[in-house]
Amino acid sequence: MTVTLEALAPDRSAPPAPSARLRKRPRLSWTWAVALPVPILILIGWHLGAVSGWVLPFDIKMAFLPTPAEVGLRLVDFAVGGIYDDSYSGTLWGHLGASALRVLQGFLLAVAVGVPLGVLMGRSKLLFRMLEPTVNLVRPIPVTAWAPLALLLIGFGDRSTVFLVFLAAVFPVLLNTISGVKQVPTRLFEAAAMLGTPPLQALAKVVLPAAAPQIIAGMRIAMGLAWVILVVGETVGINTGLGALITQAREQSRTDLIIVGMVVIGLAGFVADRLLSLVFAVAFGRRPIQT
């Protein structure tokens, strides 16, 4: 009897099961209606706390905070200028572009290292036993602890920041890839072997597609961490970038500018995650992935 990989895959031509038909995506309007109340309540609480001078747990003095409206005006001036006309007016895109380039370089380097190494460690028990203790020894070391050493070894500038972003991003990619590869059903390897598929081709045609959901989940976590670590990497020796902006604003006690930098990093990370999901949705077509 001849067995093919297609025979082991679910029949996509068959009509969807009743339970699958019921699991429709929520409408966009409903998604926004559910998601918006929380940020609106946060903005209201922020405004009341800043105006009234609330003191929150941990002795957080909200009287030192600007109101959301003041931050909004600073954000508009930071983006297009024309309101305050200081040295930060209209400089958003330069800072954002420099930071995005560093994040992209560190992230792509982490993917280039993490995915192939994860596939090999997931398929080779010997390699896994050789490297797993070292990975779990290095992984808990916080990137902030690497920062002084990176500055001494690499020096100030883009390369040390890209290296720190790489360190933050590589372990989620590596561990999720290992986990995804280990969960690939054995029957797929058996079917590939029966069809005479060479081992290297089986990695590309069987392992990577089957492990794709977990690999993608690891990449999304890594992208988020890359933006988190960016501020640490851009703290010293860099003049252009969102982390450098926040550092300069802290030295000048500019709380409005600090919050603007935080907001832009949050928005950039959100957009980057959505773009990453879109790329994978286009690349994998109808294959189900986590979004």
Side-chain angles (χ1 to χ4, degrees):
M1 183 176 68
T2 302
V3 180
T4 64
L5 290 176
E6 288 75 9
L8 296 173
D11 185 6
R12 299 188 186 282
S13 62
S19 58
R21 287 197 298 267
L22 293 175
R23 292 196 298 267
K24 294 180 178 177
R25 283 179 174 272
R27 288 182 301 178
L28 185 62
S29 58
W30 170 248
T31 301
W32 280 101
V34 172
L36 278 178
V38 172
I40 290 175
L41 287 175
I42 291 175
L43 289 175
I44 293 174
W46 173 7
H47 175 79
L48 294 176
V51 172
S52 305
W54 290 353
V55 178
L56 301 181
F58 300 100
D59 201 24
I60 299 174
K61 301 175 181 63
M62 296 194 67
F64 294 132
L65 284 178
T67 64
E70 292 170 337
V71 172
L73 284 176
R74 172 57 67 181
L75 179 59
V76 172
D77 180 72
F78 185 44
V80 297
I83 299 178
Y84 299 108
D85 290 330
D86 57 16
S87 59
Y88 297 105
S89 299
T91 60
L92 165 64
W93 308 110
H95 288 292
L96 180 60
S99 293
L101 182 60
R102 294 178 188 120
V103 166
L104 184 63
Q105 289 174 327
F107 173 77
L108 291 179
L109 187 59
V111 172
V113 173
V115 172
L117 184 59
V119 170
L120 293 177
M121 290 179 67
R123 289 295 301 150
S124 171
K125 292 181 180 178
L126 175 61
L127 191 63
F128 180 80
R129 288 170 181 164
M130 288 174 60
L131 297 180
E132 189 266 346
T134 304
V135 169
N136 280 323
L137 181 68
V138 176
R139 184 169 61 90
I141 301 175
V143 175
T144 49
W146 283 94
L149 187 62
L151 290 175
L152 289 174
L153 297 179
I154 302 175
F156 299 110
D158 288 349
R159 287 185 298 178
S160 60
T161 303
V162 172
F163 174 71
L164 294 176
V165 170
F166 161 77
L167 278 180
V170 69
F171 291 112
V173 176
L174 176 63
L175 297 181
N176 274 50
T177 303
I178 294 172
S179 176
V181 171
K182 282 181 173 292
Q183 293 179 28
V184 175
T186 306
R187 60 176 184 164
L188 291 181
F189 295 106
E190 295 173 349
M194 290 174 61
L195 293 171
T197 305
L200 287 179
Q201 289 188 21
L203 289 179
K205 295 182 177 178
V206 176
V207 175
L208 284 178
Q214 281 197 259
I215 296 175
I216 293 169
M219 289 184 187
R220 293 183 63 189
I221 296 172
M223 177 60 81
L225 287 175
W227 283 101
V228 170
I229 295 302
L230 178 72
V231 176
V232 177
E234 292 182 341
T235 300
V236 180
I238 289 179
N239 296 322
T240 304
L242 295 170
L245 168 78
I246 291 176
T247 302
Q248 294 166 15
R250 183 199 62 193
E251 293 170 351
Q252 300 171 18
S253 300
R254 300 278 298 274
T255 53
D256 58 343
L257 206 54
I258 292 174
I259 296 174
V260 164
M262 294 165 61
V263 170
V264 174
I265 288 177
L267 291 173
F270 179 83
V271 172
D273 180 72
R274 288 294 182 267
L275 288 176
L276 198 61
S277 298
L278 179 63
V279 168
F280 287 125
V282 172
F284 286 85
R286 295 176 59 188
R287 186 181 183 84
I289 60 173
Q290 297 176 359
T291 58

